[in-house]
Amino acid sequence: IYNMVINFAAGPAKLPEEVLKEVQTNLLNCNGSGISVMEMSHRSGNYAKIHDTAIADLRELLNVPSNYKVLLMQGGGTGQFAAVALNLIGCTGTADYVITGSWSAKAAKEAAQYGKVNAVLPKLPKYTDVPRQSSWKLDANASYVYYCDNETVEGVEFDFVPQVDAKVPLVCDMSSNFLSRPIDISKFGVIFAGAQKNIGPAGVTVIIVREDLIGKHLKITPSILNFEQMDKNNSLLNTPPTFGIYVMGLVFKWIKRSGGVAGMCERAKAKSQLIYEIIDQSKGFFYCPVQKQVRSHMNVPFRIGSASGDEKLEKEFLAQAEAEGMIQLKGHRSVGGIRASLYNAITLAETQQLAKLMLAFYENNK
Ligand code: PMP
């Protein structure tokens, strides 16, 4: 039974129960067509409505200005690590990367295949902070400045939007906090997000790109990663991930009727605060290495027993959580410990269950 577990996975992650039920109800007969959305031609009128409505709803949710295009692509966040460089780095041949965690580091490595990558920060000994912008070494000649708004592995989330020279577009990976807080799109050149955390199933990636940045791609850019070709074809250059786009569209409707992005933001703050407060009041029993100012509202990483983690206690905690139906709480293999991902679909009540377990575990083991 669905409600027997609470899924704290980092992604693919929990989807709103309402949406899953809607998918189930309409699985064999989508919008009266008599067939499943998975069996529908991507050139049909029925599918066109699903596709265009999803894009229109996203534009509405984020107030996307008219000089920005919304593209739906495949290849995930990793595909965009390449796509961003292929589409933009040719402007000057170099780009600035702000490396604050595992995902921005991977993006920089991918981009280095297509141009010169300038690391804006000295290599950080650990990814637990976002150095203030006064310490960054930006290159005035960069094709763009790249950063990752929420580092999913380390739980580090920017608490500011970088200020860059008006001539240099800002590119942002929002894969793991997309639609969790309001953003001013006009400050960005490109925003991208893989769907499988906050907005849908794996397989679809959303790109919001300022019009004037389209058409600057390197000659070698594959068509399916080419912003210009995708834009010209309304993201129907080839067969799109139709099922994923359908589900994502339902998630957008769910966000719209659940208080919009501002509502998601309020919930995210309340949920994450609940867990961080328990961590901070545990006198070091629970330990989150991330600087308070940049602690993620989406992914809460912590160790148990000490700053480096007591593996025996952590194992016990995970086992106890699982016995109570709370699953996928294990930290990323590169950092260990525990990670609670509190994406949009996780309710406050579910977060309270986790909080209750943490408090009981503390009392029994402190
Ligand atoms: N960026 C971020 C912030 C992520 O969390 C992830 C996936 N966990 C990626 C990029 C890579 O996404 P994908 O697996 O879809 O390529």
Side-chain angles (χ1 to χ4, degrees), residues 191-238:
I191 291 168
F192 71 84
Q196 69 269 27
K197 293 145 200 312
N198 248 345
I199 55 173
V204 53
T205 313
V206 172
I207 294 90
I208 303 174
V209 52
R210 211 176 62 213
E211 251 168 9
D212 61 291
L213 299 173
I214 295 176
K216 299 182 182 297
H217 50 273
L218 297 174
K219 274 212 178 78
I220 59 162
T221 306
S223 302
I224 58 156
L225 293 181
N226 184 316
F227 292 166
E228 185 178 48
Q229 289 207 41
M230 277 294 165
D231 174 42
K232 275 193 180 145
N233 292 281
N234 186 29
S235 303
L236 289 158
L237 173 77
N238 67 327

Side-chain angles (χ1 to χ4, degrees), residues 75-79 81 103 148 150-152 173 175-176 192 194 196-197:
T78 308
F81 295 168
W103 291 112
C148 175
N150 184 65
E151 286 285 0
T152 322
D173 174 1
S175 292
S176 51
F192 71 84
Q196 69 269 27
K197 293 145 200 312

Side-chain angles (χ1 to χ4, degrees), residues 1 13 51 67 72 151 161 185 213 227 327:
I1 302 167
H51 189 92
N67 62 325
L72 306 178
E151 286 285 0
V161 176
I185 302 283
L213 299 173
F227 292 166
I327 63 166

